[in-house]
């Protein structure tokens, strides 16, 4: 979980700083597929890069609305490792991406809040399949870890708007992730931090055509919490257990079959002072069982046809318990409002399955036509106190998309997506268009337009309803320039939200809203040797009327101004890498909404978060066969000890409010990690040269 | 008449051969002086157009131009790839032209340039290209040195790698100094003919950076 990321983060930061990171990365498969992809034989090169190489005739590449981090990044473009190794990201890809423009600095919950959208409006896709629950079950006020190691990916496309018709069900943002192929070598690793530990291995077959691996991680924060006091009083955990297995097989000349399965358990139980009474404590416990499995296959059929197939299944069970206790610890049930709301149980089991097929036809000059279909099946069963929660939904989507070059410097991508949901009995059509125009000096203008539909959350569909899809229309204008290992990007956008879900006065799609803003990004790897930094600025103007908002308001998850800085430096002489991230955001609004009106409101203090990670890298065993790459890592989050306030909880009568803050002012970690790899450089080269 | 024609055409052919090798000699002399990307781009075109014997030399020099361009552009990752790709093709063509049983010294030269070409691929973005091409570069350089242990240009590239690699991944400035000095000794007074003879300026530049 989070620690493994620290490790990789530190290792990889140092990797970027030098020219020969040959055997650097540890067991967990990181973005290293390039080796087999391109060296085993030349057809494989074609397999993965055909589109790109054909396209290199024209250098214009569609990129409005998205940040792409790829294992083929050049110059100052982001690599997957750049994107996920931001100090303070806790091993969560969506937290790491908060250092990019467009995302809000949300400290009280997990998820990626993009351009006036909620965390629910950003969806993650791995190899084409939707990851329904990327994080452990939510707990009020404390963000929960991600289940999936962010280093699993060789390609990360963070779209803050205007993404491809191949994806849907994400109104505000899509995180399109591509998992790694074969690992570079056989290896094993472990890490030990006081509250996190884990071990894993990857085995690569002798002929370099298949691999398998497994990882186990366990995290228990109770020891740490006994040393560093936390604001909630934890009576259980927080504990997280996670395992994953994978296999990957190269089939034929261009085929790749991959299987990844992740299963986990979590338990977080905590008590906070009850806001409506002086003496009572409010307890909350969330337990989760989850599995996510993904089987995917891609291959060229011949020079012009390519297929991508994927199937995913996930199971998720969440059990939450709320209770009230007196100072002696006796459980109470108080049968009147507001206390009657504070005790209860809820269990929901979700089965989710997806099948997906995409066919690509490549035309000369890098043009392409893609079309395909996917089907999502959701089945929820549960209980909330005494009422049953039931939902079954079949969502079918068909889509087509074309890449065209209108001239050498002008490219277009146009697509259309149709979705039908059985739970809503509705069909929708979503058009998408992007254009890219390349200027003489290599800089580029991009334009994008698209309509993005999303079903209301399952919670709204348990009760009888007449809901329909919510949707957002995006308009984006973007400018990028890359030169001399520097990268500048500016983006201007306007979005219109329609049919947002309202819960008051009754459940309906009468909500709406808008968002507009400008975002800047500057990265420079050149000016100072071995120093890599980026700076972003996000301006956001958004209002929406949804849920219980009495009218259109600036939502509580939207700050008008946000600035982030990420700095990475490797000190060669002392084998130490230093990674600093800093984020600052203007205050966010908060409201006390009562009886369909605003009883109280205000703005929180500005957010100001400085994180530092340091790693010392070394090698304990200098044996030739088993090289180890080890180190000591440490870090502090929120160094300055700023009291971050994310919002307020109000008492039922509205007379008291208590701030939602970090569970502890600062967060520390220190630990060691080791990775052993059989150095098979020679095998590899002998086979391939 | 027939005889005359034959004589004439033989004369013409040998003249064009002479002109070609003359062109090669001129280009090599220019390469000794070339400093900028533009110069090297020009020369690469020139070398590509030359068909003088021995055949491997024109590909070799074209690849060397691309390798040098890659080193000059090492802080501009966006631009390097087309040069590296062309250079790789040319270096491999030079290797294919050579007789692997007999021409060990020539092969060592070509492998050295191929090693430099792979190095330039690392510059595209060390994070994404570093591991694969760093490794390939090392391996190819090893091959060069196995074929000709005292090749001054292979020694120079080895020195450069020792210099540029961080300590914990095997970098060593003193070893770099030693290798560059050894390379200089091997070079002695470099020739000026078409056979590879570069390296002196490079060694000196590297040595001046090491205290």
């Amino acid at each position: 979980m989070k620690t493994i990321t620290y490790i990789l983060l530190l290792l990889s930061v140092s990797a970027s700083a030098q020219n020969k990171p040959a055997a650097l990365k540890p067991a967990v498969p990181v973005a290293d597929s390039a080796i087999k992809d391109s060296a085993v034989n030349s057809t494989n090169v074609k397999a993965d890069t055909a589109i790109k190489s054909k396209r290199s005739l024209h250098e214009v590449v569609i990129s409005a609305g998205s940040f792409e981090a790829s294992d083929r990044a050049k110059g100052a473009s982001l690599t997957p490792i750049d994107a996920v190794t931001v100090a303070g990201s806790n091993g969560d890809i969506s937290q790491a991406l908060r250092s990019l423009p467009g995302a809000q600095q949300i400290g009280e919950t997990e998820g990626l809040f993009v351009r006036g959208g909620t965390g629910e409006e950003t969806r993650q896709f791995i190899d084409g399949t939707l990851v329904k629950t990327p994080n452990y079950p939510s707990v009020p006020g404390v963000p929960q870890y991600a289940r999936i190691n962010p280093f699993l990916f060789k390609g990360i496309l963070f779209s803050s708007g205007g993404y491809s018709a191949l994806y849907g069900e994400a109104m505000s943002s899509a995180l399109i992730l591509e998992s790694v192929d074969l690992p570079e070598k056989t290896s094993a690793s472990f890490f030990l931090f006081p509250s996190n530990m884990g071990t894993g291995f990857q085995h690569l077959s002798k002929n370099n055509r298949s691999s398998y691996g497994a990882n186990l991680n366990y995290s228990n924060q109770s020891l740490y919490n006994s040393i560093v006091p936390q604001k909630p009083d934890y009576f259980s955990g927080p504990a997280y257990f996670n395992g994953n297995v994978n296999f990957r097989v190269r089939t034929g000349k261009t085929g790749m079959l991959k299987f990844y399965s992740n299963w986990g358990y979590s338990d977080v139980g905590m008590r906070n002072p009850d806001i409506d009474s002086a003496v009572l404590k409010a307890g909350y416990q969330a337990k989760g069982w989850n599995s996510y499995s993904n089987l995917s296959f891609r291959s060229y059929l011949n020079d012009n046809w390519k297929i991508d197939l994927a199937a995913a299944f996930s199971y998720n069970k969440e059990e939450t318990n709320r209770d009230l206790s007196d100072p002696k610890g006796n459980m109470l049930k108080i049968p009147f409002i507001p206390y009657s709301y504070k005790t209860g149980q809820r269990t929901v089991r979700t089965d989710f399955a997806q099948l997906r097929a995409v066919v690509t036809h490549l035309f000369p000059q890098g043009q392409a036509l893609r079309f395909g279909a996917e089907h999502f099946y959701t089945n929820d069963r549960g209980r909330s106190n005494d009422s049953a929660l039931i939902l079954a939904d079949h969502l079918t989507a068909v889509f087509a998309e074309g890449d065209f070059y209108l001239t050498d410097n002008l490219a277009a991508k146009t697509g259309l997506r149709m979705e039908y949901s059985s739970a809503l009995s509705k069909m929708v059509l979503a058009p998408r268009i992007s254009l890219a125009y390349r200027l003489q000096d290599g800089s580029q203008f991009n334009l994008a337009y698209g309509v993005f539909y999303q079903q209301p959350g399952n919670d709204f569909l348990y009760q009888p309803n007449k809901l329909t899809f919510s949707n957002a229309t995006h308009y984006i204008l973007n400018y990028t320039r890359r030169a001399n290992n520097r990268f500048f990007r500016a983006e201007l956008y306007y979005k219109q939200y329609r049919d947002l879900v309202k819960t008051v006065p009754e459940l309906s799609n009468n909500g709406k809203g808008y968002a507009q803003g400008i975002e800047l990004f500057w990265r420079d790897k050149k000016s100072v040797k071995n120093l890599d930094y980026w700076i972003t600025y996000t301006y956001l103007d958004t209002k929406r009327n949804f849920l219980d908002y009495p009218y259109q308001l600036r939502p509580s998850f939207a700050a008008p101004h946000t600035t982030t800085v990420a700095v990475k430096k490797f000190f060669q002489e002392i084998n130490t890498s230093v990674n600093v991230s800093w984020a600052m955001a203007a205050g966010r609004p908060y409201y006390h909404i009562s009886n369909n009106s605003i009883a109280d409101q205000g703005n929180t203090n500005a957010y100001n978060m400085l994180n530092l990670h340091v790693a010392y890298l070394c090698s304990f065993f200098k044996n030739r066969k088993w090289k180890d790459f080890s180190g000591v890592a440490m870090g502090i989050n929120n160094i300055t000890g700023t009291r971050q306030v994310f919002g307020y909880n109000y008492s039922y009568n509205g007379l008291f409010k208590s701030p939602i803050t970090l569970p502890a002012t600062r967060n520390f970690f220190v630990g060691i990690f080791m990775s052993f790899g059989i150095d098979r450089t020679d095998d590899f080269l002998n086979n391939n040269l | 008449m027939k005889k005359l024609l034959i004589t004439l055409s033989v004369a013409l052919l040998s003249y064009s051969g002479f002109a070609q090798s003359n062109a090669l000699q001129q280009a090599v002399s220019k390469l000794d002086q070339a400093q900028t990307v533009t110069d090297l781009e020009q020369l690469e075109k020139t070398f590509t157009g030359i068909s003088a014997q021995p055949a491997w030399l024109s590909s070799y020099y074209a690849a060397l131009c691309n390798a040098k361009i890659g080193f000059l552009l090492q802080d501009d990752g966006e631009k390097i790839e087309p040069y590296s790709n062309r250079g790789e093709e040319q270096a491999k063509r030079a290797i294919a032209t050579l007789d692997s049983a007999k021409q060990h010294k020539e092969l060592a030269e070509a492998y050295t340039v191929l090693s430099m070409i792979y190095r330039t691929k690392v510059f595209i973005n060390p994070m994404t290209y570093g591991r694969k091409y760093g490794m390939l570069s090392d391996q190819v350089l090893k091959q060069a040195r196995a074929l000709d242990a005292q090749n001054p240009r292979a020694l120079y590239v080895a020195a450069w790698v020792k210099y540029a690699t961080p300590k914990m991944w095997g970098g060593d400035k003193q070893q770099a100094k030693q290798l560059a000095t050894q390379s200089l000794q091997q070079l002695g007074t470099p020739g000026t003919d078409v056979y590879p003879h570069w390296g002196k300026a490079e060694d000196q530049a590297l040595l001046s950076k090491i205290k």
Side-chain angles (χ1 to χ4, degrees), chain A residues 660-678:
Chain A
I660 304 166
T661 60
L662 292 171
T665 310
R666 292 183 184 82
N667 178 24
F668 308 88
F669 67 89
V670 60
I672 60 158
F673 53 90
M674 290 175 93
S675 166
F676 300 90
I678 296 179

Side-chain angles (χ1 to χ4, degrees), chain A residues 19-241:
Chain A
N19 290 329
K20 194 199 148 199
L24 181 64
K25 294 186 193 135
V28 182
V30 279
D32 59 4
S33 60
I35 292 192
K36 272 82 198 180
D37 270 351
S38 43
V40 171
N41 63 46
S42 58
T43 3
N44 287 343
V45 178
K46 189 195 74 184
D48 283 353
T49 55
I51 297 176
K52 279 179 186 163
S53 66
K54 283 188 182 175
R55 208 174 258 173
S56 64
L57 296 169
H58 323 265
E59 296 192 44
V60 54
V61 175
I62 303 262
S63 67
S66 65
F67 266 94
E68 186 177 11
S70 133
D71 65 343
R72 293 189 182 87
K74 297 176 198 170
S77 298
L78 293 174
T79 69
I81 289 173
D82 294 333
V84 300
T85 56
V86 174
S89 64
N90 279 339
D92 182 343
I93 194 163
S94 55
Q95 288 214 29
L97 296 176
R98 287 175 185 182
S99 69
L100 294 179
Q104 292 291 304
Q105 307 300 314
I106 304 295
E108 70 274 30
T109 187
E110 55 284 343
L112 200 48
F113 292 69
V114 179
R115 292 186 174 171
T118 66
E120 294 289 305
E121 294 168 23
T122 297
R123 288 292 175 81
Q124 294 186 17
F125 302 90
I126 298 182
D127 297 333
T129 67
L130 176 64
V131 185
K132 267 241 159 179
T133 44
N135 292 71
Y136 290 103
S138 228
V139 167
V142 188
Q144 296 299 301
Y145 296 134
R147 303 175 199 273
I148 295 174
N149 184 330
F151 288 88
L152 180 67
F153 309 111
K154 66 170 179 170
I156 297 170
L157 188 99
F158 169 40
S159 170
S160 42
Y163 59 87
S164 148
L166 270 56
Y167 299 90
E169 282 304 299
M171 218 180 347
S172 294
S173 164
L175 200 50
I176 297 164
L177 306 164
E178 190 188 352
S179 69
V180 294
D181 295 340
L182 296 172
E184 183 193 350
K185 58 181 183 173
T186 294
S187 59
S189 68
F190 79 90
F191 60 88
L192 182 62
F193 285 60
S195 44
N196 299 285
M197 57 202 80
T199 180
F201 76 94
Q202 282 291 313
H203 183 269
L204 177 66
S205 72
K206 270 261 173 342
N207 64 6
N208 287 339
R209 290 187 63 85
S210 64
S211 74
Y212 58 87
N215 294 284
L216 276 180
N217 302 306
Y218 176 68
S219 166
N220 193 322
Q221 311 287 322
S222 50
L223 173 68
Y224 177 86
N225 292 346
S226 67
I227 301 165
V228 181
Q230 306 284 308
K231 206 175 126 215
D233 172 17
Y234 288 105
F235 62 84
S236 184
Y240 309 85
F241 179 74

Side-chain angles (χ1 to χ4, degrees), chain A residues 636-659:
Chain A
I636 311 176
N637 296 337
N638 196 22
I639 297 174
T640 53
T642 309
R643 185 168 179 269
Q644 319 287 2
V645 176
F646 305 123
Y648 289 88
N649 288 321
Y650 280 86
S651 63
Y652 182 71
N653 60 19
L655 296 177
F656 305 102
K657 64 179 182 191
S658 88

